[in-house]
Amino acid sequence: MTEALNRHYIKRETAQTRAYSQAVVTQGGRIVWLAGQVGATDASGKSLAGDFDGQVREIFSRLGQTMEEAGGKLADMVTMTVFITVARYGDRFTQLRKEIFGDDFPASALITVAGLARPEMLVEVQGIAVTG
């Protein structure tokens, strides 16, 4: 039998402004390790090349679907590593993450990289979730 999940977000003003928690402390639950997810195309197969917002939304939609398959939900993510190819998209990513997660944010790192697996990919997100 799995121990009941307890989750506590360590929030600091500067971190909240950037839509991440300084730390997320969990006790109990089940860990889900999420592979890096990209969103070069939407669910219907339409290209999202050059559409940063579209790619971010598609990535979180896919992560949410994966979490459902694992018996959880997107809000169960406790940490994420975000790779972007254009540094100026960092602020936009923060805005989108605020829309998606509300007020309880995963811990996070945001890293600018020279490129991802294919040139049309602008962002990739991997993470860890803890489900109850």
Side-chain angles (χ1 to χ4, degrees):
M1 186 161 123
T2 305
E3 180 182 354
L5 172 63
N6 293 311
R7 183 177 294 143
H8 172 70
Y9 295 86
I10 297 175
K11 299 178 181 184
R12 294 191 182 142
E13 185 176 341
T14 54
Q16 288 295 110
T17 301
R18 296 292 299 166
Y20 72 93
S21 292
Q22 197 64 39
V24 181
V25 181
T26 63
Q27 182 174 353
R30 195 167 52 94
I31 298 172
V32 180
W33 304 85
L34 296 159
Q37 183 65 64
V38 295
T41 59
D42 68 13
S44 69
K46 177 186 167 220
S47 173
L48 294 172
D51 181 356
F52 183 79
D53 285 24
Q55 288 188 25
V56 170
R57 291 181 194 286
E58 183 63 25
I59 287 167
F60 282 114
S61 173
R62 291 177 184 185
L63 287 168
Q65 290 170 0
T66 300
M67 285 305 304
E68 285 179 23
E69 290 174 34
K73 56 192 177 303
L74 186 61
D76 292 330
M77 287 184 73
V78 294
T79 190
M80 66 176 63
T81 304
V82 181
F83 304 94
I84 58 176
T85 59
V86 181
R88 73 179 178 343
Y89 288 146
D91 289 341
R92 183 61 186 150
F93 182 84
T94 296
Q95 293 169 344
L96 293 166
R97 185 166 50 195
K98 283 180 182 178
E99 289 175 21
I100 293 164
F101 282 93
D103 190 50
D104 289 329
F105 305 114
S108 182
L110 178 62
I111 303 165
T112 303
V113 296
L116 295 167
R118 295 194 323 254
E120 67 273 20
M121 295 175 183
L122 301 173
V123 58
E124 182 171 348
V125 179
Q126 70 179 23
I128 300 170
V130 180
T131 64

